[in-house]
């Protein structure tokens, strides 16, 4: 009898161990696929060439911890290869998935199968390239901060509360806009109200969190003061606020309106879900306590009709190379998660610990979407706690057999979770980030360029990069500093060209005034005998500057004005086009 009791426990441990191994390895499935000229290459270039002599001081200081972390990873074995950097940065996703799984199974006692389903889905929905460490390190510290905050409040351990504050304070160094995460302190007051704690106890716990937060942030600022001087750091950070005049999507109002606009776009689907919920609830409300099996069948029928209609009206796109394959279902999932969380907070028979989870889920959803210019996309990339917690709450609702009136809520929310899980696994195995979209082809190896050995991308891009690499090597331009203009910042990393000024110069956040000052300083150095940088333009910009092409629809007025600065620089120092392969145009003097 004793042996029989132990077998299920032993089996569950083996299953959990297997799930942990899968969750650790799964984020590394695309190590050698995708050569991104935008965000991926841009971030790796910043890691390869850190410091204000290469980077715009505003972004260098605003994302300092992420840049230093990336630079340290580059010093590990084979850190000069992109495939190795993909491995090192991909481990941050592995950490998020395994930590979320352990929290759900060891602390919340959720079934390993349900926790695994949630974490596998969260990994599959990670659309951001792992090179974007200012996002992934943010997610890691924020996730662990939430876990420590939960443990500190539930177990009444001040050490955990202080640790949560420390992690959130350190997160400001990863991305300055993470300051908004201090709002997580609302969980302390919410839980205090739920458990009817004394005001004194709530204030004590609040002060413990604040002490950890202020201590970590103060230590970071002290490090900046010692290493760079507080005035230089402050000047870089203050420019963030000036930058929002041109890049309004980075302003606090722009972030809020961006999130609100995305939820507004979902109103079309919200109305359909609301109609189905209303119909199901009406069925359940009729004749309370009677014909329960018939009501269940009818609720399943309403759910089947709803999702059948959704799937035939492009609720998701069958093209998994695009975000639209999962975007609308994920937005509705987030709305469902917030609705179920609010339901948990209103129900009387829900334990205080579960109400705390509901508060944390609401805060994670709201705070993750702020701090960047990608609205709901950040939240979709950070479901490592949101999705398992939502599954846990829906599972708790199913355990309440007497909650007949919630039958429609349970069936529709469960169906939505299952749909997202199925779509996500397909999306995660097809979608490979390149140039803010999904790569259509990654079947061509880039064998000749040292940094890209082992990497695969589309044939045209591989040929263009290889041709550019050969020309620079044969003409003796390899190893020089570079000026890049257009959506090609990754060239600096892939071809090992240190930037002479901001490598993504056409970004709105890199202002005309800043570029003008940087070019003036560069001109002074060249006048003093410094080696001239090689100038590489995206082909469309080269044609525009030479008068043979027209501005493209996505080019902004600021980008056009900055292109004028670059044109005057090229004319002043006698640059001319010396190479063109249809994608890149090289200028030398």
């Amino acid at each position: 009898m004793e042996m029989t009791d132990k077998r299920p426990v032993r089996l569950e441990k083996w299953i959990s161990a297997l799930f942990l191994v899968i969750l650790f390895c799964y984020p590394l499935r695309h190590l050698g696929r995708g050569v991104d000229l935008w965000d991926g290459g841009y971030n790796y270039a910043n890691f390869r060439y850190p410091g204000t002599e290469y980077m715009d001081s505003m972004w260098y200081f605003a994302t300092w911890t992420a840049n230093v972390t990336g630079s340290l990873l580059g010093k590990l074995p084979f850190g000069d290869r992109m495939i190795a950097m993909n491995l090192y940065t991909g481990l941050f996703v592995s950490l998020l998935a395994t930590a979320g799984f352990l929290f759900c199974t060891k602390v919340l006692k959720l079934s390993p199968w349900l926790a695994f389903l949630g974490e596998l889905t969260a990994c599959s929905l990670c659309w951001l390239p792992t090179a974007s460490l200012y996002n992934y390190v943010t997610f890691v510290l924020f996730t662990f901060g939430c876990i420590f905050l939960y443990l500190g409040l539930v177990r009444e351990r001040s050490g955990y509360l202080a640790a949560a504050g420390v992690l959130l304070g350190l997160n400001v160094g990863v991305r300055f806009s993470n300051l908004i995460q201090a709002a997580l302190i609302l969980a302390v007051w919410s839980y205090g109200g739920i458990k009817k704690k004394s005001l004194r106890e709530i204030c004590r716990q609040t002060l413990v969190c604040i002490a950890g937060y202020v201590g970590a942030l103060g230590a970071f600022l002290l490090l900046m003061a010692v290493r760079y001087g507080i005035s230089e750091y402050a000047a870089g950070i203050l420019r963030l606020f000036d930058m929002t005049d041109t890049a309004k999507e980075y302003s606090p109002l722009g972030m809020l309106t961006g999130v609100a606009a995305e939820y507004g776009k979902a109103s079309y689907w919200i109305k359909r879900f609301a109609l189905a919920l209303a119909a199901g609830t009406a069925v359940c409300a009729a004749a309370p306590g009677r014909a329960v099996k018939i009501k269940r069948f009818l609720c399943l029928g309403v759910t089947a009709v709803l999702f059948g209609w959704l799937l035939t009206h492009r609720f998701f796109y069958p093209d998994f190379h695009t975000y639209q394959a999962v975007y609308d279902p994920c937005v509705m999932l987030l709305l469902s998660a917030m609705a179920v969380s609010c339901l948990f907070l209103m129900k009387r028979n829900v334990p205080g610990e579960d109400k705390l989870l509901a508060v944390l889920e609401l805060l994670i959803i709201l705070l993750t979407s702020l701090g960047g210019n990608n609205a709901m996309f950040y939240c979709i990339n950070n479901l490592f706690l949101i999705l398992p917690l939502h599954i846990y709450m829906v599972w708790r609702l199913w355990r309440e057999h007497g909650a007949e009136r919630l039958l429609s809520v349970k069936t529709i929310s469960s169906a939505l979770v299952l749909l997202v899980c199925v779509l996500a696994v397909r999306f995660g195995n097809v979608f490979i980030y390149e140039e803010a979209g999904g790569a259509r082809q990654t079947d061509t190896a880039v064998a000749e360029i040292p940094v890209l050995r082992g990497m695969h991308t589309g044939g045209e891009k591989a040929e263009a990069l290889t041709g550019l690499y050969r020309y620079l090597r044969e003409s003796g331009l390899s190893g020089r500093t570079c000026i890049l203009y257009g959506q090609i910042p990754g060239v600096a990393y892939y071809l090992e060209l240190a930037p002479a000024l901001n490598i993504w110069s056409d970004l709105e956040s890199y202002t005309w005034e800043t570029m003008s000052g940087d070019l003036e300083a560069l001109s002074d150095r060249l006048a003093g005998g410094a080696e001239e940088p090689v100038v590489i333009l995206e082909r469309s910009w080269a044609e525009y500057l030479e008068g043979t092409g027209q501005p493209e629809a996505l080019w902004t007025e600021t980008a056009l004005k900055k292109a004028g600065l670059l044109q005057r620089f090229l004319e002043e120092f006698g640059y001319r086009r010396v190479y063109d392969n249809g994608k890149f145009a090289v200028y030398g003097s």
Side-chain angles (χ1 to χ4, degrees):
M1 187 70 179
E2 185 178 352
M3 290 295 294
T4 305
D5 291 339
K6 286 183 178 180
R7 283 175 184 170
V9 175
R10 190 179 297 118
L11 178 61
E12 185 172 293
K13 287 183 178 180
W14 279 106
I15 290 172
S16 295
L18 175 62
F19 286 162
L20 278 171
V21 171
I22 294 173
L23 290 174
F24 183 84
C25 298
Y26 181 69
L28 310 177
R29 64 196 179 280
H30 294 316
L31 286 184
R33 299 286 170 179
V35 177
D36 175 33
L37 292 172
W38 292 16
D39 298 88
Y42 171 66
N43 281 283
Y44 282 151
N46 289 338
F47 303 157
R48 183 70 176 270
Y49 306 108
T52 54
E53 66 271 31
Y54 298 117
M55 291 179 64
D56 184 351
S57 62
M58 175 182 68
W59 286 124
Y60 179 66
F61 289 127
T63 57
W64 185 85
T65 303
N67 294 322
V68 170
T69 302
S71 297
L72 291 175
L73 293 177
K75 292 178 171 58
L76 294 176
F78 305 103
D80 57 346
R81 301 276 186 91
M82 184 181 178
I83 193 169
M85 288 298 290
N86 284 348
L87 169 64
Y88 300 143
T89 57
L91 293 177
F92 285 91
V93 185
S94 300
L95 177 60
L96 283 163
T98 53
F101 179 84
L102 291 172
F103 174 68
C104 291
T105 55
K106 301 298 184 182
V107 179
L108 302 183
K109 306 302 180 183
L110 189 62
S111 162
W113 293 92
L114 294 180
F116 175 72
L117 178 65
E119 297 301 338
L120 186 72
T121 303
C123 288
S124 298
L125 290 170
C126 285
W127 59 272
L128 276 166
T130 56
S132 183
L133 283 186
Y134 64 86
N135 282 306
Y136 282 106
V137 176
T138 286
F139 298 154
V140 167
L141 294 181
F142 188 40
T143 297
F144 276 89
C146 291
I147 291 174
F148 281 131
L149 187 60
Y150 175 86
L151 293 173
L153 291 172
V154 171
R155 298 180 180 179
E156 297 186 351
R157 298 281 295 274
S158 296
Y160 285 135
L161 295 176
V166 167
L167 292 172
L168 296 178
L170 292 175
N171 228 353
V172 178
V174 179
R175 190 176 64 187
F176 186 76
S177 55
N178 289 339
L179 275 171
I180 190 67
Q181 293 175 3
L184 202 63
I185 199 70
L186 292 172
V188 177
W189 286 80
S190 299
Y191 189 63
I194 292 167
K195 300 295 284 187
K196 295 181 172 56
K197 294 183 179 182
S198 67
L199 180 60
R200 180 178 180 180
E201 176 63 11
I202 295 173
C203 290
R204 185 192 69 80
Q205 291 182 329
T206 301
L207 289 174
V208 171
C209 291
I210 291 175
Y213 185 90
V214 172
L217 183 56
F220 173 75
L221 293 176
L222 179 62
L223 175 62
M224 295 296 99
V226 171
R227 186 162 182 174
Y228 304 101
I230 198 63
S231 59
E232 184 175 352
Y233 175 77
I237 294 300
L238 287 173
R239 282 186 49 223
L240 278 174
F241 300 96
D242 296 332
M243 175 266 293
T244 58
D245 293 336
T246 54
K248 296 186 183 300
E249 68 273 17
Y250 285 99
S251 68
L253 180 60
M255 294 175 192
L256 286 170
T257 54
V259 173
E262 293 305 311
Y263 282 128
K265 292 176 185 177
S267 61
Y268 177 81
W269 307 115
I270 293 172
K271 292 174 183 176
R272 275 66 187 175
F273 274 85
L275 181 62
L277 280 170
T281 302
V283 168
C284 294
R290 298 180 181 179
V292 176
K293 290 185 179 180
I294 294 176
K295 290 177 183 179
R296 288 177 181 171
F297 179 78
L298 290 174
C299 280
L300 288 173
V302 169
T303 302
V305 170
L306 169 65
F307 279 84
W309 184 89
L310 291 171
L311 298 181
T312 57
H313 285 74
R314 300 184 72 82
F315 184 52
F316 75 93
Y317 291 177
D319 184 359
F320 286 89
H321 294 96
T322 69
Y323 304 110
Q324 283 304 118
V326 295
Y327 184 74
D328 286 329
C330 284
V331 171
M332 291 307 303
L333 178 74
L334 293 172
L335 287 167
S336 172
M338 289 191 284
V340 172
S341 295
C342 290
L343 179 62
F344 262 56
L345 291 174
M346 292 186 291
K347 288 173 64 66
R348 293 182 179 179
N349 61 338
V350 173
E353 293 77 8
D354 286 352
K355 289 191 174 185
L356 173 59
L357 290 175
V359 171
L360 286 173
E361 182 162 29
L362 286 169
L363 289 172
I364 293 170
I365 292 172
L366 294 173
L367 296 178
T368 300
S369 300
L370 302 176
N373 65 334
N374 279 297
M376 302 309 303
F377 281 98
Y378 283 141
C379 209
I380 293 171
N381 205 110
N382 185 32
L383 293 173
F384 297 95
L385 285 183
I386 294 170
L387 191 53
L389 290 182
H390 183 49
I391 292 175
Y392 172 70
M393 291 178 191
V394 173
W395 174 72
R396 284 297 301 261
L397 289 177
W398 277 109
R399 291 182 63 191
E400 296 179 11
H401 301 293
E404 183 181 312
R405 64 188 181 279
L406 296 177
L407 187 56
S408 182
V409 174
K410 293 188 286 189
T411 54
I412 291 178
S413 58
S414 299
L416 182 58
V417 167
L418 289 174
L419 175 65
V420 170
C421 291
V422 171
L423 295 177
V425 172
R426 176 64 175 161
F427 175 80
N429 284 282
V430 171
F431 186 89
I432 297 172
Y433 186 99
E434 281 191 354
E435 286 77 69
R440 297 284 172 178
Q441 290 183 328
T442 56
D443 55 356
T444 303
V446 191
E448 193 169 333
I449 303 174
V451 172
L452 292 176
R453 283 174 187 158
M455 297 301 301
H456 295 73
T457 186
E460 290 185 7
K461 183 186 290 185
E463 184 180 354
L465 282 170
T466 302
L468 177 59
Y469 171 76
R470 287 174 181 167
Y471 173 77
L472 294 177
R473 184 185 59 190
E474 292 168 1
S475 61
L477 295 175
S478 296
R480 290 200 183 190
T481 59
C482 71
I483 295 176
L484 306 177
Y485 206 79
Q487 306 290 326
I488 56 171
V491 167
Y493 172 66
Y494 301 138
L495 302 189
E496 300 179 81
L497 302 169
L501 69 159
N502 192 302
I503 58 173
W504 206 342
S505 301
D506 53 318
L507 281 181
E508 287 292 281
S509 57
Y510 186 56
T511 64
W512 181 91
E513 291 79 9
T514 304
M515 183 171 176
S516 177
D518 289 348
L519 281 174
E520 185 177 346
L522 176 60
S523 297
D524 291 341
R525 293 197 299 273
L526 295 180
E531 185 179 56
E532 291 183 347
V534 59
V535 178
I536 303 174
L537 307 185
E538 195 173 17
R539 172 69 179 276
S540 55
W541 278 107
E543 292 175 347
Y544 170 73
L545 292 183
E546 294 177 4
T548 59
Q550 297 297 317
E552 296 187 358
L554 295 178
W555 292 358
T556 65
E557 183 180 346
T558 303
L560 291 168
K561 286 177 61 180
K562 290 188 294 185
L565 289 174
L566 182 58
Q567 185 173 34
R568 287 195 292 274
F569 174 84
L570 295 176
E571 292 172 353
E572 179 183 354
F573 289 95
Y575 279 85
R576 58 184 177 84
R577 195 193 305 196
V578 293
Y579 174 78
D580 188 332
N581 64 14
K583 174 62 178 178
F584 308 105
V586 179
Y587 288 76
S589 57

